[in-house]
Amino acid sequence: MTVATDATDGFLWFMRSINKYKLDIQVIGMGEEWRGGDITIYPGGGFKVNLLKEALKPYKDRDDLLVVFSDSYDVVFTNNAKEIKQVFKKLDAKVIFSAEGFCWPDTSLATKYPEVKTHEKKYLNSGGFMGYASQLYEIVTSSEIKDQDDDQLFYTKIYLDPVMREKWGIKLDSRNEIFQSLNGALDEVNLKFKGSHSFMYNIKTGSVPIIVHGNGPIKPEFNRIANYLADAWTPTHGCQSCDENTISLKDVKDEDHPRVFMALFIEHATPFITEWFQRLVDQNYPKKKIDLYIHNRIDYHQKDVEEFLKKHGDEYKTVDYVPPQKALNMWHCRNHATHLCGKHDCQYYFAVDSDAQLTNSDTLVSLIEQNRSVIAPMLSRSGKLWSNFWGALNKDGFYARAEDYLDLLNENKRGLWNVPFIRDCILIQGRTLELLIDGYTNGDLDPDMGLCKTIRNKGMFMHVSNMKKFGRLINSDNFEIRNLHNELSQIFDNRLDWEERYIHENYSKVLDPESPVDMPCQDVYLFPILSNTFCRHLIEEMEHFGKWSNGQNQDSRISGGYENVPTQDIHMKQVGLENAWLHFLKEYIVPIQLKLFPGYYSKANSLMNFVVRYRPDEQPALRPHHDSSTFTINIALNEHGVDYQGGGCRFLRYNCSITASKVGYVTMHPGRLTHYHEGLRTTQGTRYIMISFIDP
């Protein structure tokens, strides 16, 4: 038997364990108004006793019927009725109450309890008890109790009375052989697994408790443990609960898909936001079933949003855009979105922050199909421990490292995990959202923490899924917007995103030791390195900066102030890109150099990294010269025959010219002694190249 007036997520998880072990259950009070007070704040729960009185009445004369009573919002069973009966029989009692380490709610009664052994629990806990029906009925009807009185105190006074304790044969489960109350005992228990079965082991008593109760203020940690219990997850069988109570959209027609309110939040300057928008567009979900809400606080991204809406806005059912000049604060914009979701009769609320890059186009569908009240895809910063979920909370409600956090983050354990905090990308069922209106506002907490606290206080579960790879988090912490294309410098903080945008799609083939590299001239190699986008952005960045050198020998930018072979150029240092470029040389150029010129180990030192501009009416060519380098790279930034005519590089010693390099292709050659070369005349248009003198 259990008392539950509302089918909370905790109750549903309890019922899963009941059904798992085929236990007979009678739920008392479902649908009734709870009249037992707020037991999360102060003692109460007498309503449970009064409900139990009525429920036991039909069995009041049954002295052969064993009845187990337990709470249900924070309880999980881990074995079947046969095991429970066997342990109960061994304990040689007519009634067994759960035991814990705290005397509550009246600590003055602590001295009246019978003594127990050091490793045993001394005090009664009313969250779980069992016995013969006739005795239990006599106990609950032995005196009156008001609905808002405390049920634990009611049972405690009965137990502490030697006469009543003897009369009804009451004992405490001091060794936690049936009942395990976790409050104050988390360091006394371990999770154990045997094949497909998961269970709890009490290391102090050597017992294997069957009914696990997350009593008191340890709900987040109990929920973490409950992720595994009742055979939900084991090392050999993985997640055995992940496919339970799911739905499928596979055969659902587009017009019959659930209506989704997609709320997009741009609250800070964020790199790679065009990719963010595109990945949202790429979600495999009918857009005419999506109401789109965009809240943008950042002027820098106004153009990005406008371009996205111009291209895709008409594809969605409705669009509501809040630009920077009308932006709300962080709390109000999110609360406003939940209100709009309700007005649109949404079935799901899908909130995505600009840091959440959803590289999996089935993310939305996958989350909906899991059929959970609140769920998030697991996302993390590439190569970092920073993610969009917390596995545990400290006593103040802030971040704590959970025991299994790294296993979840590194996908050593895959599944669906009940966690106390999620952010950046959240899907909430519409019926659940009705209980969370204005939930982002919770004291002085930030919106994410406020919403999650509201969810926890409502008794709802938040799940994070790492069953698939859904994407990653952008690191926006150091993103500066002083340049035109600020992502050019994001090689440090967001390397994967930087690579996807800026590294040539065929670069990886060049890394293959067995893959040949084109050598158009003696010891001059030509291979793809940078994408067309990088080349275009770098040209635009330089033209936006605009301070091209005059092509004269006097040059204050370099040591000594004199350039022997001057060009019309802009140095990477001038536009704040030198550190990023040097890192690029180390990470992407040096591995290829080692393949092509084995035995030389470059440190990727380079003092001269610059973009050269050739024009017929400015500097059309460059006289023969050696480079001040061990080796040089020369990257074509625009297209021969389209953007310019003529141009190229001639190596005089070998009478060999390269005149039509593809965009993003690099020419690598030795700098001194052997490769005397010249820049051929550009006859029409503008030619741009990127040069680095490596290891001068």
Side-chain angles (χ1 to χ4, degrees), residues 533-550:
T533 301
F534 182 96
C535 297
R536 175 170 54 84
H537 283 186
L538 186 58
I539 291 171
E540 291 173 354
E541 191 68 50
M542 294 305 183
E543 290 293 359
H544 177 73
F545 180 72
K547 298 179 182 179
W548 296 93
S549 65
N550 57 16

Side-chain angles (χ1 to χ4, degrees), residues 582-636:
L582 291 175
H583 192 67
F584 161 78
L585 296 178
K586 178 181 177 182
E587 296 296 315
Y588 298 94
I589 293 295
V590 168
I592 306 300
Q593 171 268 305
L594 191 58
K595 172 184 174 178
L596 301 177
F597 298 99
Y600 178 73
Y601 299 93
S602 172
K603 295 182 179 180
N605 292 325
S606 180
L607 301 176
M608 296 288 285
N609 306 283
F610 52 96
V611 172
V612 179
R613 185 174 74 182
Y614 288 113
R615 283 177 174 170
D617 58 345
E618 290 181 347
Q619 181 180 11
L622 189 63
R623 68 176 176 82
H625 63 282
H626 285 292
D627 292 335
S628 298
S629 68
T630 301
F631 69 98
T632 295
I633 62 168
N634 177 333
I635 303 174

Side-chain angles (χ1 to χ4, degrees), residues 650-679:
R650 176 172 176 259
F651 294 90
L652 280 70
R653 180 184 181 92
Y654 309 106
N655 192 27
C656 180
S657 299
I658 301 173
T659 58
S661 293
K662 295 179 182 179
V663 176
Y665 274 60
V666 57
T667 301
M668 178 185 289
H669 61 83
R672 295 188 179 89
L673 191 61
T674 58
H675 282 67
Y676 194 56
H677 59 284
E678 64 180 331

